[in-house]
Amino acid sequence: MTPIREGFLREAVPGAFVGLAAGLVAGGLAALVGQPLGWALVTTVALGLPLGAFGGLFSLLVAAGRLPAGRFAPVALFWLAAFPLARLIHEITVSLVLAGQFRMPADLAGFLAYQGIVSLGWAIGFLWLHERIALRLRVRATASR
């Protein structure tokens, strides 16, 4: 792999990891409350992949200097747009896989507004985890030089 591409991928790791971990937790919780294992797996993938992709994008924007690191307002604004979209992808994917139908939430505006509110809590946890993971990766990279 070329050094530029390797560096690009390394920069995306903290955010992608947080998003993928959130999908894993959501799937685990679905299984814990009694959903069939296949349904829990669908939740893991359908939520983890979009959150991981948006998390990786966030990390890349920080690495490129487009978003400041460690500040809540830019993180909150980013997730105000990205989290409702990730949840919408999750809802549509789950209905496609489990019911075989393309279904949008009945009250799309209400769904997106609620997810926007929830996104602030997600942004707090995301920022906290992202900063810790990114810091550890930077320390490891510096130590290995």
Side-chain angles (χ1 to χ4, degrees), residues 8 11-15 53-70 74-75 77-79 82 126 130:
F8 180 77
E11 294 297 337
V13 167
F54 285 125
L57 174 62
F58 175 84
S59 291
L60 292 173
L61 290 171
V62 168
R66 302 280 188 203
L67 288 174
V75 175
L77 289 174
F78 177 86
W79 285 109
F126 177 85
H130 183 270

Side-chain angles (χ1 to χ4, degrees), residues 12-75:
V13 167
F17 177 79
V18 174
L20 292 170
L24 187 60
V25 169
L29 290 173
L32 185 68
V33 299
Q35 295 296 322
L37 194 56
W39 292 17
L41 183 60
V42 170
T43 290
T44 299
V45 173
L47 187 58
L49 289 181
L51 287 177
F54 285 125
L57 174 62
F58 175 84
S59 291
L60 292 173
L61 290 171
V62 168
R66 302 280 188 203
L67 288 174
R71 295 193 184 147
F72 180 68
V75 175

